[in-house]
Amino acid sequence: TCALPISVAAFLQRRIGFLTIAQVAGDVLEEFLKSQSSAAAPESFDDVYEIDRWARARTIEKLRLAA
């Protein structure tokens, strides 16, 4: 997911600890898999883009809470 590079960037900026990288990425992925959005495979690039947008926003939100 895109949660990984966003989390790594936060780590490199010393905003989170190393172990938080995997925790945040895992949390975002788990949240997505439990959501209604993951019930069906993306049918278009727009669907993939929307999933990516959601995951990035959720990652940023989780990082704000973790800091």
Side-chain angles (χ1 to χ4, degrees):
T1 71
C2 62
L4 189 58
I6 293 171
S7 298
V8 169
F11 168 73
L12 293 174
Q13 295 168 358
R14 300 186 187 272
R15 293 177 34 223
I16 61 171
F18 180 74
L19 297 177
T20 306
I21 296 170
Q23 181 182 357
V24 169
D27 288 351
V28 170
L29 179 58
E30 185 176 328
E31 190 174 326
F32 174 73
L33 292 175
K34 289 181 179 178
S35 74
Q36 293 287 15
S37 301
S38 69
E43 295 180 5
S44 68
F45 179 76
D46 288 338
D47 291 345
V48 174
Y49 181 76
E50 180 58 28
I51 293 167
D52 182 76
R53 186 206 58 74
W54 175 87
R56 288 177 186 275
R58 191 66 186 118
T59 300
I60 292 167
E61 182 178 338
K62 284 189 168 289
L63 289 172
R64 279 194 202 122
L65 297 174

